[in-house]
Amino acid sequence: MRSARISATAILSMLGLLGSSALAADPLVYAPMDPVRMSEVIKTLASDPFEGRAPGTIGAIKTVNYLVAQFQAIGLQPAGENGGWTQEVPMVHTKIAPESVVQFRVGQSEPIIYRQLQEIYLTTNMPSSQIKITDAPLVFVGYGVDAPARDWDDFKGVDLKGKIAVILINDPDFRAKPGEAVFDRFGGRTMTYYGRWTYKFEEAARRGAIGALVVHDTEAASYPWSTVTAPGGENFALEKQGAPDSLLLQGWIEGKAAHELFARAGLDLDALSEAARRPDFRPVTLPSTSLTTSFDVATTHLQSRNVLAKLPGTTHPDETIMYGAHWDAFGKGKGPHGEAMIRRGAIDDASGVAAVFEIARAFKEGPAPERTIVFAAWTAEERGLLGSTYYVEHPLVSLEKTVANFTIDVLQMGGLSHNAFIVGAGQNSLQDDFSTIASSQGRVTQNEVLPERGAFYRADHLPFARAGVPVLPIMDLAGYPDLLKGGVPAGRKWLEGYMACYHQPCDAWNASWDLSGAAEDAAALYEVGRSLAFSRMWPSWKQGSEFKAVRDRTEAQRPAL
């Protein structure tokens, strides 16, 4: 198998389809990427001095300085604001007191008290020193989806002003069975953006609700309650998100606690959840039930930074190919027993940053690209894709002439693999290009194994997609690698081990890692981008993609092929 992989790469190199340095230093399929150098980058970014790289901290300052120094050492040019290396991202940081509680009153009975980080998890985007809500009614709005294109409306015009929306996670068809009207209307087990908690909060705010609580369900959310509570009540938002129409309170209610609350109100949450899968579902007000809470909020206004570098194009400098990864993680904090901890974000996403460096180095060492290549390290991805969202709202190059965005978020550390995964399969032509290159490496591409995780809607490529830019995310949590050493069982062991450390302190650098598979992914992305950097091709969205119409509206701004 190994000789076949090398042979395929060698053939492509001879045909001129791989970079000139692809086999010069090492005849492996991941050339010209260097796994050892990638490991050193991860080790550095996940080390103690960087403090887990939370925005607004000393660790963040060290991180930005390190990123700029690395881009300078590679020989890139600054691509930030005012000729510099960075773009300022104004944010609001809020943190709710950990001893906060919520009181639910049902009729005249004794109130139910739910505690922050225990039965309930609260955050706010409002830049206020205190949030106070008194006797707000609760309304169950099913999946909280308004999707005219899919002929679906969970709200039916019900007024949510001054109320708390209680919402199910994922899409209305997540648990639908054949024969149900909603079956496969939202792609079945493949989560759409309507299934994400971010959308549900946005829609509740648009409807005038003062608060929204998502019912936690490990299977539907794709992560346990401990992942929900991991940020400890803190939140980051772009400055404008603290506007008066934002939710006063947003958060989650633990599954068993939600069932208890509904039962006290005389309702069966399971039965209502099943009813929410029907097109005729209407919101249900919890009878004689209200929410009261008052909690202090520590609010800080801060400036974080995206870091941006470039290789200018020689003949079409106004056309841009972008590679990006997020530099932030969750920083320092305290564990469930008050112990100090650092959530270092080694794999998520120092691994992506390491890959961006390697790709940048490969482009710099090769022929100058005809189109401009931009390399980005985004801030505050973990806090809601804030850095990339801000960039798309304040772009430094034309989005209409951005050829493609490649986002790298979580690479596997188990070594070379027989397979690669497509996240959000069927979206655009870049996925086909990636499959072709992966095949040249001796790999087979597969659709993501767990599409219910909604990975396509959870990383920094999403704001670009929503702006119409064709995107290709590489996210190695999309399935089990079929590793050369140990096959799928070894790949399953790796992924399950990583997911147990997802957003936890144990996502830390490990000397035993084999980064050749991570480098192989980076090499494939490099080749896809390289083919575009020396061509007049414009990747396209496929029929049925929700992003195609946005791109089509700007077609006249791009040169015809």
Side-chain angles (χ1 to χ4, degrees):
M1 182 65 184
R2 190 57 177 280
S3 61
R5 294 164 70 93
I6 297 173
S7 175
T9 308
I11 290 171
L12 285 179
S13 180
M14 288 186 287
L15 292 174
L17 297 178
L18 291 183
S20 59
S21 62
L23 299 176
D26 194 332
L28 297 178
V29 292
Y30 51 76
M33 307 298 141
D34 185 341
V36 174
R37 199 158 45 206
M38 290 176 67
S39 182
E40 286 301 313
V41 170
I42 299 171
K43 182 180 180 180
T44 299
L45 286 172
S47 64
D48 284 354
F50 288 81
E51 299 182 343
R53 309 189 308 279
T57 65
I58 293 174
I61 296 172
K62 291 180 178 178
T63 300
V64 169
N65 291 340
Y66 172 79
L67 297 172
V68 170
Q70 292 298 305
F71 283 140
Q72 287 176 318
I74 291 170
L76 305 181
Q77 296 182 22
E81 296 170 319
N82 304 314
W85 293 93
T86 63
Q87 178 186 43
E88 297 288 329
V89 181
M91 296 191 297
V92 177
H93 173 243
T94 59
K95 187 174 177 64
I96 290 175
E99 63 274 11
S100 301
V101 299
V102 172
Q103 174 180 288
F104 293 100
R105 184 174 292 279
V106 181
Q108 300 302 313
S109 62
E110 286 295 313
I112 307 171
I113 305 298
Y114 284 167
R115 300 158 294 170
Q116 172 76 332
L117 308 181
Q118 299 298 318
E119 299 87 5
I120 203 155
Y121 180 72
L122 307 177
T123 64
T124 184
N125 284 340
M126 296 297 289
S128 174
S129 60
Q130 187 179 57
I131 299 296
K132 187 174 184 178
I133 298 174
T134 303
D135 293 331
L138 279 76
V139 182
F140 175 68
V141 295
Y143 288 88
V145 172
D146 180 19
R150 300 174 193 254
D151 194 23
W152 197 266
D153 175 19
D154 280 328
F155 296 95
K156 306 297 193 298
V158 170
D159 184 11
L160 292 180
K161 292 182 175 62
K163 300 174 183 178
I164 307 295
V166 183
I167 314 171
L168 299 173
I169 192 63
N170 216 303
D171 293 312
D173 62 349
F174 176 69
R175 287 196 166 89
K177 301 175 179 62
E180 293 187 52
V182 73
F183 183 74
D184 209 30
R185 191 176 298 198
F186 290 81
R189 299 285 286 187
T190 301
M191 183 189 286
T192 70
Y193 187 61
Y194 296 113
R196 293 282 292 143
W197 56 266
T198 49
Y199 165 80
K200 296 175 190 298
F201 290 155
E202 292 165 3
E203 191 62 40
R206 283 191 286 267
R207 303 278 169 167
I210 60 173
L213 294 174
V214 173
V215 178
H216 180 257
D217 174 338
T218 297
E219 182 186 11
S222 82
Y223 40 75
W225 182 247
S226 60
T227 298
V228 172
T229 62
E234 70 173 352
N235 205 11
F236 290 78
L238 298 177
E239 276 281 2
K240 69 178 184 62
Q241 292 180 350
D245 60 349
S246 291
L247 297 171
L248 283 177
L249 175 154
Q250 62 186 46
W252 296 68
I253 181 168
E254 192 272 331
K256 291 182 179 178
H259 279 81
E260 177 190 358
L261 175 63
F262 274 64
R264 288 280 293 271
L267 299 173
D268 183 334
L269 180 55
D270 289 333
L272 286 174
S273 299
E274 186 173 345
R277 303 203 297 263
R278 297 197 299 266
D280 62 352
F281 167 82
R282 295 185 62 84
V284 176
T285 299
L286 276 67
S288 304
T289 303
S290 64
L291 177 151
T292 295
T293 189
S294 178
F295 51 80
D296 294 331
V297 183
T299 300
T300 305
H301 298 266
L302 61 95
Q303 295 282 342
S304 192
R305 294 179 180 181
N306 293 324
V307 182
L308 297 143
K310 68 181 178 182
L311 277 176
T314 56
T315 56
H316 306 288
D318 60 333
E319 299 173 7
T320 304
I321 298 160
M322 176 175 283
Y323 290 88
H326 70 88
W327 61 253
D328 68 302
F330 282 99
K332 299 169 70 175
K334 292 185 178 181
H337 305 293
E339 69 277 16
M341 66 177 188
I342 301 177
R343 287 186 284 164
R344 303 170 185 275
I347 294 175
D348 184 12
D349 186 32
S351 69
V353 173
V356 169
F357 287 161
E358 285 302 293
I359 293 169
R361 187 174 286 106
F363 272 108
K364 178 62 178 175
E365 292 176 354
E370 295 175 5
R371 287 165 153 167
T372 296
I373 317 294
V374 170
F375 304 94
W378 307 114
T379 183
E381 186 272 353
E382 300 290 10
R383 315 300 179 150
L385 318 182
L386 300 186
S388 54
T389 295
Y390 186 84
Y391 178 91
V392 168
E393 293 176 353
H394 306 84
L396 301 179
V397 300
S398 166
L399 294 178
E400 293 76 17
K401 291 188 178 181
T402 297
V403 180
N405 170 278
F406 300 100
T407 291
I408 310 168
D409 197 346
V410 176
L411 294 176
Q412 60 96 350
M413 303 289 135
L416 295 175
S417 175
H418 296 299
N419 59 353
F421 290 95
I422 301 294
V423 177
Q427 286 281 0
N428 59 51
S429 61
L430 288 172
Q431 298 168 336
D432 302 329
D433 298 337
F434 178 77
S435 293
T436 298
I437 296 299
S439 178
S440 79
Q441 296 174 315
R443 295 197 287 171
V444 175
T445 49
Q446 302 170 247
N447 295 346
E448 58 188 304
V449 173
L450 301 169
E452 61 269 27
R453 289 178 175 171
F456 192 82
Y457 302 92
R458 289 171 58 175
D460 283 314
H461 61 281
L462 180 61
F464 290 90
R466 296 177 75 177
V469 177
V471 299
L472 179 64
I474 294 299
M475 306 173 73
D476 283 347
L477 49 66
Y480 303 121
D482 182 4
L483 300 176
L484 268 64
K485 299 179 180 178
V488 174
R492 180 186 293 270
K493 181 178 180 181
W494 177 83
L495 182 58
E496 290 177 350
Y498 166 68
M499 291 307 297
C501 290
Y502 182 61
H503 291 175
Q504 301 301 319
C506 54
D507 182 10
W509 178 82
N510 192 313
S512 68
W513 285 343
D514 179 352
L515 273 78
S516 58
E520 191 174 29
D521 281 340
L525 271 193
Y526 164 64
E527 292 300 339
V528 177
R530 184 180 179 277
S531 69
L532 295 171
F534 293 92
S535 82
R536 304 304 301 130
M537 298 298 295
W538 293 91
S540 59
W541 294 99
K542 295 186 176 182
Q543 291 294 337
S545 170
E546 60 209 278
F547 308 109
K548 185 179 187 301
V550 181
R551 187 67 161 182
D552 288 350
R553 287 197 289 269
T554 64
E555 184 175 2
Q557 299 184 42
R558 293 180 290 279
L561 297 179

